[in-house]
Amino acid sequence: MRNKEVEQKIKNAVEHLTPDVLDCILSECDERRGNVYIVQPMKRKGRWMYAACALAAAFVLVFGGLSAFGWISAHQVDALVTLDVNPSVELKVNKDDRVLAADAKNEDAVKILDNMDLKNTPIDVAINALIGSMLKHGYIQENSNSVLLSVESVNGAKSAVLQRNLTESISRQLNRVNGAVISQNLTNDGELQTLAEAHQISYGKAALVQKILNENSHLLFADLAKLSINELNLLIGSKHIEAKGMEAQGSASDTAFIGEERAKQTALEHAGISESEIERLRIELDYDDGAMVYDVEFYHNAQEYEYEINAKNGTVVEHDRENRDRDDRREPPAAPQSHNKDDFIGEARAAEIAEKHSGVPRHTGMKVELDKEDGFYIYEVEFDADGKEYEYEINAATGEILSWECEEM
Amino acid sequence: MFFFGMASGAEEWSDALCESCLGKIAAHDKNALGALYENTKNAVYGFALSIVRNTQDAEDVLQDTFVSIYASARNYKRMGKPMAWIFTIVRNLSLMKVRDRRKTSDVSEEEWRLLTADEAPVTSEDRLVLTAALGKISPEEGQIVMLHAVAGFKHREIAEVLELPLSTVLSKYNRAVKKLKSVLEGTGAHAE
């Protein structure tokens, strides 16, 4: 387990445990200032409010006669269709697949919807207009080519048909920019809805983020919520995420990133190993410490190398190497190690080995400690250089480097 | 919520934003206080928890910290280190709590059981992690780990807040993470 993973677990746990006391804070602040400030509870408009109204109206219908029926069915929300690029637009659709209302879910969407009256427009025409406007405004382009389409309806068959038809029409429209469409079919989930509102993203984007989190517990909702649909789509592709009701067409553009090939080369160059010498190479896009990174892992001479390469600028963010069989060290070592400390290489020599390996001439805070792990003696060598922290484990008898780690301080 | 105009989701939380929030809070801007709260509550709560070591006191400190920030934001001097200023408040309030109780009362098994029963978002892994971070390492190590993991502080920033030499912070941090790793990897006995 890496330090980062331990820290991520702590971070997640604290996030889950932190209580919400903002209301108490605000009222206490007012008491101290001697005035009264009323905290307005946030009113959540039910997503199905239109449907509820229609239902209420349906009772009237019993007495009102059949003439009202046409009016109700035309004004009843039968499906919600959300389009996310960065602009996020939610469309309420009636039984006849016509738009009842179009809501901008973020500021970019306000620009997109400017002067556009989509009311009563067939849904496919509305989507076509929206995609056209997003292309025109540069929200969809070569290096950010992903669109998320989310369809939600109590009528499952209707969702599926809308999902398929609209995906096809968007794909056709995005042909010239090699666009990618992720589509998903959603059901109502109150908890997810609350999360979406708290992070100011659409319910559709929240559902997509949740799908990634389901298979990647080290990531955080808040972090992924900030990513663009294109970045999320790249993560989905790279991590081979599959989910019921989700379909991906086309591939997300990674031209804003250095690409897997360059990430691999960067790691190999840093390790000083050629590609033919390594095995079990694995490259995956990930998110760490506020940035998209490539995780590059491979094995060489029974050592596991792990690199984190910044996906945008190609710098090595983190790297470490560990003996592959280190976890099995509880087993007696192949060659029994002498317990006579006179046979050990000594702290000075251990420090020298680590220094030489790190290749940094000036460092501070050198610390060497003899430690016994599972009946096996090692020197732990630690020092800092160039704002980085180096940590080595060295076989006390042979001077072999068992593992090393280098991390930004 | 009502303060969202301040901290737009797309904007990365930074020292500069934090300072601008404090400036507005000094003029009694509640929206700014809300934005500051949303962006720092986890770090404040985590750090408080690592000192007072029980959830009730940590919750009190969380609340008192922001009330205190609201009252004293005008005393903050812009030096580019707003988070260090906030954590000094958290630390002082937490230490006062500990003094009040004369001793730290660690989180009991019973409390954890209740917590995990009531608070749906707290998973069994969270429980394991927090029990380790609060029980298996020293209070000072816990504070260092919290500041590094939850607040995202660099080691030298932690050294400033805790008034410790950098080398001490580094070695304590390494020790602590090593112990936590062995607890989480299920080889806890070895770490002791």
Side-chain angles (χ1 to χ4, degrees):
Chain A
M1 194 184 293
R2 291 204 271 174
N3 291 5
K4 279 265 157 62
E5 288 171 55
V6 175
E7 295 206 340
Q8 193 61 57
K9 282 181 198 289
I10 295 173
K11 195 173 172 194
N12 291 351
V14 169
E15 273 186 17
H16 293 157
L17 192 62
T18 306
D20 193 1
V21 293
L22 182 58
D23 289 354
C24 303
I25 292 167
L26 290 172
S27 64
E28 200 172 325
C29 287
D30 290 317
E31 273 170 34
R32 293 199 174 188
R33 284 200 75 205
N35 61 18
V36 184
Y37 177 87
I38 300 160
V39 180
Q40 302 258 337
M42 191 169 70
K43 281 204 181 110
R44 290 213 175 88
K45 260 201 184 140
R47 299 158 56 69
W48 298 97
M49 194 173 263
Y50 282 76
C53 293
L55 200 68
F59 280 101
V60 179
L61 171 79
V62 178
F63 306 99
L66 279 171
S67 64
F69 188 79
W71 186 89
I72 287 163
S73 115
H75 289 78
Q76 187 174 357
V77 178
D78 198 42
L80 284 168
V81 177
T82 315
L83 206 56
D84 278 283
V85 173
N86 184 46
S88 173
V89 181
E90 187 184 86
L91 300 165
K92 295 189 172 78
V93 180
N94 72 5
K95 259 197 158 69
D96 305 326
D97 292 345
R98 282 180 182 269
V99 175
L100 290 169
D103 291 331
K105 304 301 264 185
N106 60 10
E107 278 183 28
D108 285 338
V110 176
K111 270 187 237 163
I112 291 298
L113 280 175
D114 189 34
N115 291 329
M116 222 188 253
D117 185 13
L118 297 174
K119 216 166 171 186
N120 214 23
T121 317
I123 180 69
D124 51 343
V125 176
I127 292 282
N128 189 283
L130 288 171
I131 295 283
S133 175
M134 288 188 201
L135 281 163
K136 193 178 118 200
H137 285 86
Y139 287 109
I140 308 172
Q141 44 171 309
E142 293 271 331
N143 61 14
S144 178
N145 65 347
S146 302
V147 173
L148 171 67
L149 171 80
S150 313
V151 182
E152 184 185 342
S153 171
V154 274
N155 178 348
K158 168 152 187 158
S159 301
V161 171
L162 269 180
Q163 183 185 4
R164 196 180 55 232
N165 292 348
L166 294 177
T167 303
E168 261 176 36
S169 117
I170 297 172
S171 290
R172 269 199 308 276
Q173 205 179 349
L174 292 184
N175 217 355
R176 68 178 170 90
V177 288
N178 280 325
V181 186
I182 327 172
S183 64
Q184 53 181 359
N185 193 321
L186 304 175
T187 49
N188 202 355
D189 174 345
E191 212 173 294
L192 193 61
Q193 177 65 25
T194 312
L195 257 178
E197 279 170 18
H199 289 88
Q200 291 182 287
I201 57 174
S202 72
Y203 181 62
K205 186 172 176 185
L208 190 70
V209 164
Q210 194 56 50
K211 285 178 178 124
I212 301 176
L213 292 180
N214 288 345
E215 295 181 33
N216 294 275
S217 61
H218 68 288
L219 295 171
L220 285 179
F221 193 97
D223 285 338
L224 296 189
K226 288 183 204 147
L227 297 182
S228 70
I229 297 298
N230 195 57
E231 287 167 324
L232 293 174
N233 197 5
L234 280 168
L235 283 176
I236 286 171
S238 180
K239 292 177 179 303
H240 305 289
I241 290 167
E242 285 175 11
K244 198 169 160 260
M246 180 177 85
E247 275 171 46
Q249 282 202 1
S251 42
S253 163
D254 67 353
T255 49
F257 294 154
I258 59 166
E260 293 192 351
E261 183 58 30
R262 228 185 94 199
K264 176 179 76 185
Q265 292 306 337
T266 306
L268 288 172
E269 267 166 41
H270 189 279
I273 306 171
S274 75
E275 195 175 346
S276 58
E277 295 173 290
I278 60 165
E279 51 183 329
R280 289 207 261 155
L281 173 73
R282 206 178 60 88
I283 307 176
E284 195 182 284
L285 203 57
D286 202 9
Y287 182 90
D288 190 20
D289 247 2
M292 298 289 285
V293 293
Y294 286 102
D295 276 339
V296 184
E297 280 176 35
F298 52 86
Y299 286 83
H300 170 67
N301 276 348
Q303 306 264 328
E304 183 187 2
Y305 289 74
E306 277 184 15
Y307 278 87
E308 227 176 71
I309 314 276
N310 183 303
K312 280 198 175 130
N313 59 28
T315 52
V316 177
V317 185
E318 223 181 290
H319 57 99
D320 73 39
R321 188 188 81 178
E322 253 180 280
N323 262 14
R324 185 165 36 170
D325 51 351
R326 230 184 116 230
D327 292 341
D328 307 328
R329 221 195 283 148
R330 292 173 157 276
E331 305 289 320
Q337 195 185 35
S338 160
H339 282 203
N340 182 355
K341 292 190 177 137
D342 292 339
D343 292 342
F344 294 160
I345 57 167
E347 292 185 357
R349 176 73 189 127
E352 208 180 307
I353 290 170
E355 272 167 359
K356 195 171 162 212
H357 179 273
S358 72
V360 286
R362 265 197 302 278
H363 54 74
T364 55
M366 170 66 79
K367 217 180 86 188
V368 189
E369 226 173 63
L370 185 66
D371 200 2
K372 194 177 178 186
E373 269 195 21
D374 305 319
F376 194 76
Y377 283 97
I378 56 164
Y379 284 109
E380 284 187 351
V381 184
E382 288 168 26
F383 55 89
D384 313 320
D386 295 338
K388 285 183 179 137
E389 210 183 309
Y390 290 82
E391 210 182 306
Y392 282 85
E393 285 186 356
I394 293 170
N395 183 328
T398 63
E400 179 202 357
I401 296 174
L402 297 168
S403 76
W404 52 259
E405 230 180 283
C406 162
E407 220 184 315
E408 298 267 343
M409 255 157 69
Chain B
M1 249 178 259
F2 55 91
F3 49 78
F4 273 146
M6 182 70 213
S8 103
E11 211 164 358
E12 204 58 59
W13 184 248
S14 64
D15 280 343
L17 259 181
C18 186
E19 277 204 332
S20 110
C21 260
L22 286 174
K24 290 178 188 162
I25 294 168
H28 299 294
D29 180 339
K30 295 255 175 41
N31 292 345
L33 185 68
L36 181 74
Y37 172 82
E38 281 304 316
N39 283 287
T40 58
K41 62 179 179 191
N42 293 323
V44 167
Y45 182 77
F47 184 43
L49 190 62
S50 68
I51 302 175
V52 299
R53 302 191 146 215
N54 76 77
T55 52
Q56 187 50 53
D57 285 347
E59 185 170 334
D60 288 349
V61 172
L62 174 65
Q63 196 169 324
D64 294 348
T65 298
F66 286 94
V67 173
S68 171
I69 288 171
Y70 187 71
S72 57
R74 62 180 188 285
N75 299 334
Y76 171 74
K77 295 193 177 45
R78 283 176 181 257
M79 282 157 56
K81 290 179 182 168
M83 289 309 291
W85 182 74
I86 292 171
F87 284 125
T88 310
I89 296 178
V90 179
R91 183 160 176 252
N92 290 340
L93 290 171
S94 302
L95 291 174
M96 269 162 62
K97 273 272 174 219
V98 173
R99 265 199 297 275
D100 286 351
R101 290 193 179 246
R102 286 173 181 255
K103 68 179 191 69
T104 59
S105 51
D106 286 350
V107 184
S108 67
E109 275 300 314
E110 176 65 8
E111 192 185 352
W112 277 121
R113 205 181 52 72
L114 289 173
L115 261 177
T116 44
D118 292 353
E119 312 275 323
V122 180
T123 65
S124 58
E125 181 177 75
D126 295 342
R127 179 184 142 139
L128 172 74
V129 169
L130 288 173
T131 317
L134 298 174
K136 303 280 185 210
I137 57 179
S138 77
E140 208 163 47
E141 287 171 345
Q143 291 162 33
I144 293 169
V145 169
M146 280 293 181
L147 285 175
H148 200 261
V150 186
F153 263 38
K154 307 249 184 266
H155 289 119
R156 55 181 163 73
E157 294 169 324
I158 298 172
E160 277 173 36
V161 173
L162 298 182
E163 295 164 3
L164 290 170
L166 176 62
S167 56
T168 310
V169 170
L170 281 170
S171 62
K172 279 183 190 289
Y173 169 78
N174 283 320
R175 241 185 112 74
V177 172
K178 206 169 157 192
K179 279 191 226 166
L180 290 176
K181 265 188 210 173
S182 60
V183 173
L184 298 178
E185 282 167 355
T187 52
H190 167 65
E192 295 304 313

